[in-house]
mmCIF file of all heavy atoms in Angstrom:
data_model
loop_
_atom_site.group_PDB
_atom_site.id
_atom_site.type_symbol
_atom_site.label_atom_id
_atom_site.label_comp_id
_atom_site.label_asym_id
_atom_site.label_seq_id
_atom_site.Cartn_x
_atom_site.Cartn_y
_atom_site.Cartn_z
ATOM 1 N N ILE A 77 -13.517 8.220 -7.857
ATOM 2 C CA ILE A 77 -12.720 9.351 -7.401
ATOM 3 C C ILE A 77 -11.395 8.791 -6.900
ATOM 4 O O ILE A 77 -11.365 7.741 -6.256
ATOM 5 C CB ILE A 77 -13.457 10.180 -6.322
ATOM 6 C CG1 ILE A 77 -12.555 11.334 -5.865
ATOM 7 C CG2 ILE A 77 -13.887 9.346 -5.142
ATOM 8 C CD1 ILE A 77 -13.314 12.399 -5.104
ATOM 9 N N VAL A 78 -10.317 9.480 -7.220
ATOM 10 C CA VAL A 78 -8.979 8.983 -6.874
ATOM 11 C C VAL A 78 -8.237 10.008 -6.030
ATOM 12 O O VAL A 78 -8.200 11.185 -6.385
ATOM 13 C CB VAL A 78 -8.146 8.683 -8.144
ATOM 14 C CG1 VAL A 78 -6.768 8.151 -7.755
ATOM 15 C CG2 VAL A 78 -8.867 7.690 -9.042
ATOM 16 N N ARG A 79 -7.701 9.537 -4.937
ATOM 17 C CA ARG A 79 -6.850 10.380 -4.087
ATOM 18 C C ARG A 79 -5.409 9.852 -4.195
ATOM 19 O O ARG A 79 -5.152 8.670 -3.981
ATOM 20 C CB ARG A 79 -7.343 10.315 -2.641
ATOM 21 C CG ARG A 79 -6.482 11.040 -1.636
ATOM 22 C CD ARG A 79 -6.747 12.520 -1.629
ATOM 23 N NE ARG A 79 -5.744 13.211 -0.806
ATOM 24 C CZ ARG A 79 -5.709 14.525 -0.631
ATOM 25 N NH1 ARG A 79 -6.605 15.294 -1.187
ATOM 26 N NH2 ARG A 79 -4.782 15.068 0.120
ATOM 27 N N CYS A 80 -4.464 10.752 -4.549
ATOM 28 C CA CYS A 80 -3.060 10.370 -4.698
ATOM 29 C C CYS A 80 -2.311 10.766 -3.432
ATOM 30 O O CYS A 80 -2.431 11.900 -2.970
ATOM 31 C CB CYS A 80 -2.445 11.058 -5.893
ATOM 32 S SG CYS A 80 -3.282 10.661 -7.430
ATOM 33 N N GLU A 81 -1.560 9.837 -2.905
ATOM 34 C CA GLU A 81 -0.772 10.092 -1.697
ATOM 35 C C GLU A 81 0.634 9.540 -1.890
ATOM 36 O O GLU A 81 0.905 8.872 -2.898
ATOM 37 C CB GLU A 81 -1.431 9.430 -0.473
ATOM 38 C CG GLU A 81 -2.781 9.997 -0.099
ATOM 39 C CD GLU A 81 -2.713 11.373 0.554
ATOM 40 O OE1 GLU A 81 -1.587 11.860 0.833
ATOM 41 O OE2 GLU A 81 -3.771 11.961 0.779
ATOM 42 N N HIS A 82 1.474 9.773 -0.921
ATOM 43 C CA HIS A 82 2.869 9.391 -1.055
ATOM 44 C C HIS A 82 3.432 9.022 0.318
ATOM 45 O O HIS A 82 3.070 9.641 1.292
ATOM 46 C CB HIS A 82 3.644 10.592 -1.615
ATOM 47 C CG HIS A 82 5.096 10.333 -1.781
ATOM 48 N ND1 HIS A 82 5.586 9.705 -2.913
ATOM 49 C CD2 HIS A 82 6.153 10.586 -0.985
ATOM 50 C CE1 HIS A 82 6.900 9.589 -2.783
ATOM 51 N NE2 HIS A 82 7.262 10.117 -1.624
ATOM 52 N N TYR A 116 7.087 5.435 -2.242
ATOM 53 C CA TYR A 116 5.858 4.813 -2.728
ATOM 54 C C TYR A 116 4.833 5.872 -3.108
ATOM 55 O O TYR A 116 4.568 6.800 -2.315
ATOM 56 C CB TYR A 116 5.250 3.915 -1.645
ATOM 57 C CG TYR A 116 6.053 2.678 -1.345
ATOM 58 C CD1 TYR A 116 6.931 2.641 -0.266
ATOM 59 C CD2 TYR A 116 5.921 1.541 -2.135
ATOM 60 C CE1 TYR A 116 7.671 1.496 0.024
ATOM 61 C CE2 TYR A 116 6.649 0.396 -1.866
ATOM 62 C CZ TYR A 116 7.525 0.390 -0.790
ATOM 63 O OH TYR A 116 8.250 -0.747 -0.508
ATOM 64 N N ASP A 117 4.268 5.739 -4.291
ATOM 65 C CA ASP A 117 3.127 6.567 -4.672
ATOM 66 C C ASP A 117 1.885 5.694 -4.593
ATOM 67 O O ASP A 117 1.863 4.579 -5.127
ATOM 68 C CB ASP A 117 3.296 7.125 -6.084
ATOM 69 C CG ASP A 117 4.189 8.355 -6.086
ATOM 70 O OD1 ASP A 117 3.987 9.217 -5.200
ATOM 71 O OD2 ASP A 117 5.084 8.446 -6.940
ATOM 72 N N LEU A 118 0.890 6.222 -3.928
ATOM 73 C CA LEU A 118 -0.322 5.460 -3.648
ATOM 74 C C LEU A 118 -1.528 6.150 -4.276
ATOM 75 O O LEU A 118 -1.708 7.355 -4.090
ATOM 76 C CB LEU A 118 -0.510 5.377 -2.124
ATOM 77 C CG LEU A 118 -1.822 4.816 -1.594
ATOM 78 C CD1 LEU A 118 -1.987 3.345 -1.972
ATOM 79 C CD2 LEU A 118 -1.898 4.999 -0.080
ATOM 80 N N GLU A 119 -2.300 5.408 -5.044
ATOM 81 C CA GLU A 119 -3.553 5.936 -5.578
ATOM 82 C C GLU A 119 -4.694 5.126 -5.000
ATOM 83 O O GLU A 119 -4.746 3.899 -5.170
ATOM 84 C CB GLU A 119 -3.573 5.866 -7.110
ATOM 85 C CG GLU A 119 -2.540 6.785 -7.743
ATOM 86 C CD GLU A 119 -2.564 6.719 -9.265
ATOM 87 O OE1 GLU A 119 -3.565 6.239 -9.842
ATOM 88 O OE2 GLU A 119 -1.570 7.148 -9.879
ATOM 89 N N VAL A 120 -5.566 5.817 -4.298
ATOM 90 C CA VAL A 120 -6.724 5.171 -3.686
ATOM 91 C C VAL A 120 -7.959 5.568 -4.487
ATOM 92 O O VAL A 120 -8.302 6.757 -4.564
ATOM 93 C CB VAL A 120 -6.865 5.599 -2.208
ATOM 94 C CG1 VAL A 120 -8.155 5.018 -1.607
ATOM 95 C CG2 VAL A 120 -5.649 5.173 -1.406
ATOM 96 N N LYS A 121 -8.588 4.586 -5.097
ATOM 97 C CA LYS A 121 -9.754 4.856 -5.953
ATOM 98 C C LYS A 121 -11.009 4.360 -5.254
ATOM 99 O O LYS A 121 -11.070 3.205 -4.813
ATOM 100 C CB LYS A 121 -9.580 4.131 -7.289
ATOM 101 C CG LYS A 121 -10.710 4.367 -8.279
ATOM 102 C CD LYS A 121 -10.563 3.518 -9.527
ATOM 103 C CE LYS A 121 -9.600 4.150 -10.522
ATOM 104 N NZ LYS A 121 -9.657 3.424 -11.828
ATOM 105 N N VAL A 122 -11.985 5.244 -5.111
ATOM 106 C CA VAL A 122 -13.267 4.878 -4.519
ATOM 107 C C VAL A 122 -14.330 5.005 -5.614
ATOM 108 O O VAL A 122 -14.420 6.036 -6.288
ATOM 109 C CB VAL A 122 -13.611 5.782 -3.317
ATOM 110 C CG1 VAL A 122 -14.975 5.407 -2.738
ATOM 111 C CG2 VAL A 122 -12.530 5.689 -2.252
ATOM 112 N N ILE A 143 -6.942 8.027 4.791
ATOM 113 C CA ILE A 143 -5.669 7.486 4.312
ATOM 114 C C ILE A 143 -4.544 7.885 5.264
ATOM 115 O O ILE A 143 -3.668 7.090 5.567
ATOM 116 C CB ILE A 143 -5.369 7.959 2.864
ATOM 117 C CG1 ILE A 143 -6.464 7.490 1.911
ATOM 118 C CG2 ILE A 143 -4.011 7.463 2.414
ATOM 119 C CD1 ILE A 143 -6.421 8.156 0.537
ATOM 120 N N ILE A 177 -2.995 -2.392 2.561
ATOM 121 C CA ILE A 177 -3.636 -1.064 2.517
ATOM 122 C C ILE A 177 -5.123 -1.210 2.200
ATOM 123 O O ILE A 177 -5.973 -0.576 2.829
ATOM 124 C CB ILE A 177 -2.915 -0.157 1.494
ATOM 125 C CG1 ILE A 177 -1.540 0.235 2.035
ATOM 126 C CG2 ILE A 177 -3.759 1.089 1.186
ATOM 127 C CD1 ILE A 177 -0.651 0.987 1.050
ATOM 128 N N LEU A 181 -8.298 0.022 4.638
ATOM 129 C CA LEU A 181 -9.221 1.085 4.233
ATOM 130 C C LEU A 181 -10.647 0.582 3.969
ATOM 131 O O LEU A 181 -11.615 1.279 4.287
ATOM 132 C CB LEU A 181 -8.704 1.781 2.968
ATOM 133 C CG LEU A 181 -7.423 2.598 3.131
ATOM 134 C CD1 LEU A 181 -6.992 3.161 1.773
ATOM 135 C CD2 LEU A 181 -7.599 3.723 4.140
ATOM 136 N N LEU A 191 -13.516 -0.178 -3.631
ATOM 137 C CA LEU A 191 -12.181 0.385 -3.420
ATOM 138 C C LEU A 191 -11.186 -0.320 -4.318
ATOM 139 O O LEU A 191 -11.249 -1.545 -4.495
ATOM 140 C CB LEU A 191 -11.805 0.152 -1.950
ATOM 141 C CG LEU A 191 -10.409 0.556 -1.499
ATOM 142 C CD1 LEU A 191 -10.224 2.075 -1.571
ATOM 143 C CD2 LEU A 191 -10.151 0.068 -0.072
ATOM 144 N N LYS A 192 -10.269 0.474 -4.903
ATOM 145 C CA LYS A 192 -9.152 -0.102 -5.642
ATOM 146 C C LYS A 192 -7.882 0.619 -5.249
ATOM 147 O O LYS A 192 -7.882 1.836 -5.070
ATOM 148 C CB LYS A 192 -9.344 0.035 -7.154
ATOM 149 C CG LYS A 192 -10.262 -1.010 -7.752
ATOM 150 C CD LYS A 192 -10.401 -0.828 -9.260
ATOM 151 C CE LYS A 192 -11.447 -1.757 -9.830
ATOM 152 N NZ LYS A 192 -10.956 -3.119 -10.020
ATOM 153 N N ILE A 193 -6.818 -0.145 -5.089
ATOM 154 C CA ILE A 193 -5.530 0.403 -4.661
ATOM 155 C C ILE A 193 -4.534 0.247 -5.796
ATOM 156 O O ILE A 193 -4.397 -0.831 -6.373
ATOM 157 C CB ILE A 193 -5.001 -0.364 -3.430
ATOM 158 C CG1 ILE A 193 -5.986 -0.290 -2.262
ATOM 159 C CG2 ILE A 193 -3.614 0.119 -3.034
ATOM 160 C CD1 ILE A 193 -6.256 1.089 -1.742
ATOM 161 N N LYS A 194 -3.840 1.344 -6.093
ATOM 162 C CA LYS A 194 -2.705 1.274 -7.025
ATOM 163 C C LYS A 194 -1.491 1.773 -6.268
ATOM 164 O O LYS A 194 -1.522 2.853 -5.667
ATOM 165 C CB LYS A 194 -2.960 2.150 -8.253
ATOM 166 C CG LYS A 194 -1.928 1.983 -9.349
ATOM 167 C CD LYS A 194 -2.150 2.979 -10.482
ATOM 168 C CE LYS A 194 -3.043 2.460 -11.552
ATOM 169 N NZ LYS A 194 -2.981 3.330 -12.786
ATOM 170 N N LEU A 195 -0.441 0.958 -6.254
ATOM 171 C CA LEU A 195 0.752 1.319 -5.479
ATOM 172 C C LEU A 195 1.975 1.235 -6.382
ATOM 173 O O LEU A 195 2.293 0.171 -6.916
ATOM 174 C CB LEU A 195 0.917 0.361 -4.292
ATOM 175 C CG LEU A 195 2.107 0.657 -3.386
ATOM 176 C CD1 LEU A 195 1.891 1.941 -2.587
ATOM 177 C CD2 LEU A 195 2.396 -0.510 -2.452
ATOM 178 N N TYR A 196 2.647 2.382 -6.520
ATOM 179 C CA TYR A 196 3.885 2.444 -7.297
ATOM 180 C C TYR A 196 5.062 2.253 -6.355
ATOM 181 O O TYR A 196 5.229 3.018 -5.411
ATOM 182 C CB TYR A 196 4.051 3.809 -7.962
ATOM 183 C CG TYR A 196 3.142 4.047 -9.131
ATOM 184 C CD1 TYR A 196 1.816 4.429 -8.943
ATOM 185 C CD2 TYR A 196 3.620 3.924 -10.433
ATOM 186 C CE1 TYR A 196 0.989 4.653 -10.024
ATOM 187 C CE2 TYR A 196 2.785 4.161 -11.521
ATOM 188 C CZ TYR A 196 1.476 4.528 -11.310
ATOM 189 O OH TYR A 196 0.653 4.758 -12.390
ATOM 190 N N TYR A 202 4.232 -0.805 -10.745
ATOM 191 C CA TYR A 202 3.135 -0.637 -9.798
ATOM 192 C C TYR A 202 2.266 -1.877 -9.761
ATOM 193 O O TYR A 202 2.314 -2.715 -10.660
ATOM 194 C CB TYR A 202 2.310 0.620 -10.111
ATOM 195 C CG TYR A 202 1.511 0.603 -11.391
ATOM 196 C CD1 TYR A 202 0.228 0.041 -11.423
ATOM 197 C CD2 TYR A 202 1.999 1.184 -12.546
ATOM 198 C CE1 TYR A 202 -0.526 0.039 -12.586
ATOM 199 C CE2 TYR A 202 1.257 1.188 -13.721
ATOM 200 C CZ TYR A 202 -0.001 0.615 -13.747
ATOM 201 O OH TYR A 202 -0.742 0.622 -14.892
ATOM 202 N N VAL A 203 1.519 -1.992 -8.675
ATOM 203 C CA VAL A 203 0.572 -3.101 -8.524
ATOM 204 C C VAL A 203 -0.822 -2.528 -8.333
ATOM 205 O O VAL A 203 -0.977 -1.377 -7.868
ATOM 206 C CB VAL A 203 0.932 -4.021 -7.330
ATOM 207 C CG1 VAL A 203 2.284 -4.681 -7.531
ATOM 208 C CG2 VAL A 203 0.909 -3.240 -6.017
ATOM 209 N N GLU A 204 -1.819 -3.322 -8.671
ATOM 210 C CA GLU A 204 -3.217 -2.922 -8.494
ATOM 211 C C GLU A 204 -3.957 -4.020 -7.739
ATOM 212 O O GLU A 204 -3.809 -5.193 -8.065
ATOM 213 C CB GLU A 204 -3.902 -2.749 -9.855
ATOM 214 C CG GLU A 204 -3.365 -1.596 -10.668
ATOM 215 C CD GLU A 204 -4.077 -1.472 -12.008
ATOM 216 O OE1 GLU A 204 -4.084 -2.452 -12.773
ATOM 217 O OE2 GLU A 204 -4.619 -0.409 -12.277
ATOM 218 N N TYR A 205 -4.757 -3.595 -6.755
ATOM 219 C CA TYR A 205 -5.556 -4.562 -6.007
ATOM 220 C C TYR A 205 -6.906 -3.948 -5.623
ATOM 221 O O TYR A 205 -6.906 -2.882 -5.046
ATOM 222 C CB TYR A 205 -4.834 -5.017 -4.747
ATOM 223 C CG TYR A 205 -5.599 -6.051 -3.969
ATOM 224 C CD1 TYR A 205 -5.677 -7.365 -4.404
ATOM 225 C CD2 TYR A 205 -6.293 -5.679 -2.816
ATOM 226 C CE1 TYR A 205 -6.404 -8.305 -3.698
ATOM 227 C CE2 TYR A 205 -7.026 -6.623 -2.107
ATOM 228 C CZ TYR A 205 -7.077 -7.932 -2.546
ATOM 229 O OH TYR A 205 -7.803 -8.862 -1.855
#
Side-chain angles (χ1 to χ4, degrees):
I77 179 165
V78 181
R79 175 80 189 179
C80 301
E81 295 286 354
H82 179 84
Y116 291 98
D117 279 315
L118 171 65
E119 294 180 17
V120 175
K121 182 186 277 190
V122 178
I143 299 168
I177 289 172
L181 293 177
L191 176 66
K192 280 181 187 280
I193 301 299
K194 188 186 269 193
L195 181 70
Y196 287 80
Y202 67 85
V203 297
E204 293 180 303
Y205 182 76

